[in-house]
Amino acid sequence: MTTPDRTPPDRDAAPHPEAARAAAPRPAADESALAAGLAAGTATRMLAMRLVMLLVLAVSAHLSDGVLHAGSHWFILGGYAVSSLWLAATARRRGGARLAWIATLLDAALAAYIVLEYMMAATEVADEPGTMASRLPAFLLLLESGLTLRPRHTAVFAALVAGVWSGALGLGLLDPHLGLPPAGPNVFGLLSFLVAAAFVIEGALRLRRGVATMLRLEHERATLARFVPAGIDLVRRDGPTALQPRHACLLALDIRGFSALTRRWGEARVLDWLLAVRALAHAAVTGRGGLVDKYVGDGVLAQFVDGAPAEQAAAALACMREIEARMHAMNEARRREGLPALALTASLHAGEVLVGVLDDGWRAEFTVLGPAMNALARVEARAKRENLAVAVSKRVMRLLGPDAPAGRRLPRRPGEEDCPDLFGLDPLPVAAPAPISPDLPATAAP
């Protein structure tokens, strides 16, 4: 695999903020969709709750023997019941933000009317059952509004009811001849409603954000599961995943002399060999906890992003040695069949990269970006010029520490100033590996 050294500008740095924001999920849109879906799925239950509340109000009115309620009271309750039925039936067919606002305003009108009617019609000394019945719709509908996970609707509902309530109290204080009940209990009731509204709104906000975050995490895990092996969690809990900085150990594999093999043996036959090498590399990489990023021509690009940097380097080196052992077993079988042996060039480098899934709406792709990727391309090109089987950058050797294998340091040549310092490793002794079928699961390397 030959990766061009001239890469787009965005490979040397983080993506432009506008592009990152476009690729990232939109929490506000997700939360709105969540509220709409919840409303559509609970329309029948909300209707049942409203009808139960209307039944309680009807029983309360009947027990008061009509003292507090004029004929308009029954007309308004009937109109509210019919409107609730219409909202439930319409929500099943289309839903929408407009219906949600209609329901909010309808609930606020009923709660405010009941409070106002009781205050205007009550005797000078308010009775306890009447007081409870007058405040029941306000508190129940406040709770119902909060359960829809639409905090703005709940705030509007609370503001309308509190506005009517406080307005009636103000009129009673300005004109005692109106015959309103004592202000003390009503002031306490209003303050209780405002405190309850604050708690409900704050709880709805917290619940909405929590549910939206949970859904986002599950969606991102499902998306990453198409690219990342199980056990590697790249999902961020503090914000959209999109691209995130991580340390990674990078491995590039390339079949040496692949073009010459194609010319001599034909594309159809060489393609089978290429697929066998890919399967062999995939088994070794995933068996060591890495992930195969992509296949480019006759090359394989893999990353090790899990664990500490030293653990990544150790896993990448063990993977590379296992690939050598598997390739030796494959070549032994090829020689017996009269086929040429295949040789690989392996290049190892490590550094900080941006890892994640870029989704433009048409295609989602697991991507690794950053200067380390460009440096890997230069490491690979230099390894091919030196005809090396394994080339390891100085950074990887440092991460390996005392476990670093013996290698010879390559002298720099003119024009290689931007390439990391490299070490050439001796190939694995041919007598070490046992015959391993490339289609079997990965096993521990010697």
Side-chain angles (χ1 to χ4, degrees):
M1 175 181 64
T2 302
T3 306
D5 189 43
R6 293 179 297 174
T7 52
D10 61 351
R11 293 179 66 91
D12 285 320
H16 192 275
E18 293 296 332
R21 281 194 294 269
R26 299 180 179 179
D30 292 344
E31 292 182 11
S32 298
L34 171 64
L38 180 63
T42 59
T44 302
R45 295 180 182 178
M46 292 296 183
L47 173 63
M49 292 171 60
R50 288 173 175 171
L51 294 180
V52 170
M53 183 189 63
L54 287 176
L55 179 62
V56 172
L57 289 175
V59 172
S60 174
H62 176 73
L63 293 177
S64 66
D65 198 22
V67 174
L68 299 177
H69 308 290
S72 59
H73 177 83
W74 305 104
F75 175 78
I76 289 177
L77 291 186
Y80 181 81
V82 173
S83 300
S84 298
L85 291 172
W86 174 80
L87 285 172
T90 307
R92 286 179 173 274
R93 296 196 305 268
R94 58 179 183 177
R98 181 177 298 181
L99 287 179
W101 280 113
I102 292 175
T104 299
L105 297 177
L106 183 65
D107 292 343
L110 176 68
Y113 170 77
I114 297 298
V115 171
L116 183 60
E117 184 203 33
Y118 173 79
M119 294 179 65
M120 297 298 294
T123 58
E124 187 169 342
V125 179
D127 63 296
E128 189 65 23
T131 300
M132 293 180 60
S134 67
R135 296 173 185 174
L136 181 65
F139 284 90
L140 289 183
L141 293 175
L142 172 67
L143 180 59
E144 178 192 339
S145 179
L147 292 176
T148 62
L149 300 186
R150 289 189 172 101
R152 285 194 302 171
H153 291 239
T154 306
V156 169
F157 171 85
L160 291 176
V161 175
V164 173
W165 201 333
S166 59
L169 286 176
L171 288 176
L173 293 175
L174 293 176
D175 189 357
H177 299 291
L178 291 176
L180 295 177
N186 282 284
V187 170
F188 178 77
L190 175 59
L191 292 178
S192 300
F193 176 77
L194 291 175
V195 172
F199 273 86
V200 170
I201 293 172
E202 195 276 337
L205 284 171
R206 193 186 313 177
L207 181 60
R208 176 170 169 153
R209 290 169 185 164
V211 174
T213 300
M214 180 188 68
L215 293 177
R216 175 184 64 81
L217 293 177
E218 291 304 317
H219 172 73
E220 291 179 358
R221 285 194 178 96
T223 301
L224 285 170
R226 299 157 52 193
F227 309 96
V228 182
I232 301 179
D233 191 2
L234 299 179
V235 176
R236 295 179 56 181
R237 291 157 182 80
D238 57 347
T241 300
L243 293 175
Q244 56 176 299
R246 290 178 74 102
H247 185 278
C249 193
L250 310 172
L251 170 63
L253 299 171
D254 182 66
I255 301 178
R256 284 186 278 176
F258 186 77
S259 298
L261 288 173
T262 303
R263 289 192 297 268
R264 179 178 178 182
W265 295 89
E267 296 179 354
R269 197 167 192 183
V270 172
L271 177 61
D272 292 335
W273 304 347
L274 174 60
L275 294 177
V277 172
R278 286 185 175 183
L280 178 152
H282 185 276
V285 170
T286 55
R288 293 292 178 177
L291 55 96
V292 176
D293 183 355
K294 58 176 64 70
Y295 301 106
V296 181
D298 60 306
V300 180
L301 178 61
Q303 294 99 25
F304 295 82
V305 297
D306 195 30
E311 296 173 346
Q312 297 171 1
L317 180 63
C319 172
M320 183 269 299
R321 288 306 193 189
E322 184 170 341
I323 289 175
E324 282 188 294
R326 288 171 176 263
M327 284 298 299
H328 174 68
M330 177 187 288
N331 284 330
E332 286 295 322
R334 291 175 61 84
R335 289 189 183 97
R336 290 193 293 268
E337 297 175 5
L339 298 175
L342 300 178
L344 295 180
T345 294
S347 305
L348 283 174
H349 184 52
E352 296 294 328
V353 294
L354 290 177
V355 182
V357 175
L358 287 180
D359 189 351
D360 58 4
W362 297 96
R363 177 180 177 182
E365 180 180 16
F366 183 82
T367 305
V368 177
L369 305 173
M373 290 295 297
N374 292 329
L376 178 67
R378 292 188 282 271
V379 169
E380 186 181 9
R382 190 176 176 191
K384 290 180 179 180
R385 287 195 296 268
E386 300 287 346
N387 198 29
L388 297 175
V390 181
V392 181
S393 70
K394 183 179 180 180
R395 185 182 181 100
V396 175
M397 296 291 278
R398 285 179 175 176
L399 291 175
L400 292 171
D403 297 328
R408 63 185 187 280
R409 186 165 184 171
L410 303 180
R412 288 185 179 273
R413 296 180 180 179
E416 296 179 343
E417 291 78 9
D418 58 348
C419 180
D421 291 333
L422 288 186
F423 291 82
L425 304 187
D426 294 330
L428 199 67
V430 295
I436 304 175
S437 175
D439 56 348
L440 292 177
T443 56

